[in-house]
Amino acid sequence: MMNKQQYLLYFIMGSNNTDKNPEDALREAVQGGITSFQFREKGQYAEEGPAKKELAGRLQKICREAGIPFIVNDDVDLALELGADGIHAGQEDTPLVDIKKRCPSSMTIGVSAKTLEEAEQAVQDGADYLGVGPMFATSTKEDAENPVGPGAIRLLRESGLSVPIVGIGGIDAENAAFVMEAGADGVSVISAVSRADDIRQEAERLREVLR
Ligand SMILES: Cc1ncsc1CCOP(=O)(O)O
Ligand SMILES: C=C1C=NC(C(F)(F)F)=NC1=N
Ligand SMILES: [Mg+2]
């Protein structure tokens, strides 16, 4: 199970989010101080089947050696096969109740939410954390909806939700503070880190903003 500090800089990446070798990119991000990692192999040119599982295993090994949580996006079978530390489910993915039936209680389960209704439903269903966004414009998620802004997190907090929340979508070192000020426990980042020339430095810059 993840503790709150581990949500601070939650890096997400798949092989199509970087021009570098994914393992090198993750190693550099770990050196820069990411606090958790999500394997999200999705979209154009994403690996599938055995190649996806092998890549996941290599990235999981890096996380294990660094002592940071390794989370799998969407793919419950893969998460269970690998003994991942958690799984992240989107609103259109496997319903939480079904995931919880299949996963050991030690696994962290995260859910995407952008409205109070989705958030309250997810918490009621037993979500361990919420991913709220897109905070800002993003071109990384092909079907991303319109940005909701950090105000969406503030609204959830003002509604009394105390569950761990990370903001996601278009976040970088220049705007991360707004997400934290809105009441997030951390930020999730893909391209600001995965596409940086100096990945380690970009992760370090984000950590400086976050604390
Ligand atoms: C997976 C996801 N969910 C909402 S926005 C997004 C993509 C975030 O990528 P980036 O940090 O590069 O904007
Ligand atoms: C679509 C997503 C929304 N939020 C998150 C996280 F940041 F982990 F909460 N991950 C996703 N894959
Ligand atoms: Mg999803």
Side-chain angles (χ1 to χ4, degrees):
M1 196 54 75
M2 283 167 65
N3 64 52
K4 276 216 176 177
Q5 195 279 338
Q6 289 173 313
Y7 292 103
L8 203 58
L9 181 51
Y10 184 178
F11 180 47
I12 300 179
M13 186 184 67
S15 60
N16 60 9
N17 299 125
T18 180
D19 295 333
K20 301 185 175 192
N21 169 298
E23 290 150 87
D24 294 338
L26 180 54
R27 276 195 201 92
E28 291 171 36
V30 167
Q31 286 162 0
I34 62 168
T35 55
S36 51
F37 175 71
Q38 179 187 130
F39 176 62
R40 179 176 177 271
E41 191 66 13
K42 200 169 184 179
Q44 206 173 13
Y45 310 122
E47 300 285 358
E48 292 181 337
K52 175 181 176 183
K53 184 174 177 182
E54 278 159 27
L55 172 59
R58 295 197 301 272
L59 299 178
Q60 180 182 30
K61 188 170 183 296
I62 293 169
C63 292
R64 194 165 275 158
E65 286 163 0
I68 69 167
F70 175 80
I71 313 294
V72 175
N73 183 52
D74 289 358
D75 192 335
V76 181
D77 295 330
L78 180 61
L80 289 169
E81 282 164 28
L82 291 170
D85 300 297
I87 176 101
H88 186 87
Q91 287 292 323
E92 76 288 353
D93 297 320
T94 316
L96 215 49
V97 64
D98 299 337
I99 296 176
K100 288 192 94 67
K101 276 185 204 144
R102 298 185 58 197
C103 295
S105 57
S106 58
M107 271 180 82
T108 295
I109 302 179
V111 177
S112 305
K114 58 188 301 162
T115 64
L116 181 56
E117 186 188 8
E118 286 176 351
E120 288 180 333
Q121 184 63 55
V123 171
Q124 194 179 325
D125 293 347
D128 296 303
Y129 74 84
L130 302 178
V132 180
M135 290 286 104
F136 312 107
T138 176
S139 56
T140 300
K141 179 178 170 73
E142 289 151 359
D143 55 346
E145 296 174 34
N146 294 333
V148 290
I153 295 175
R154 196 184 311 282
L155 183 135
L156 298 181
R157 290 300 188 213
E158 286 166 357
S159 306
L161 280 182
S162 57
V163 64
I165 293 174
V166 292
I168 184 169
I171 299 177
D172 59 23
E174 281 63 48
N175 61 29
F178 298 117
V179 179
M180 299 303 285
E181 282 156 17
D185 296 287
V187 296
S188 278
V189 172
I190 302 183
S191 55
V193 171
S194 72
R195 297 205 182 282
D197 291 335
D198 186 331
I199 287 180
R200 172 178 183 160
Q201 184 184 71
E202 195 53 40
E204 287 169 345
R205 286 181 65 224
L206 270 156
R207 279 299 302 270
E208 280 156 31
V209 169
L210 296 165
R211 226 194 352 264

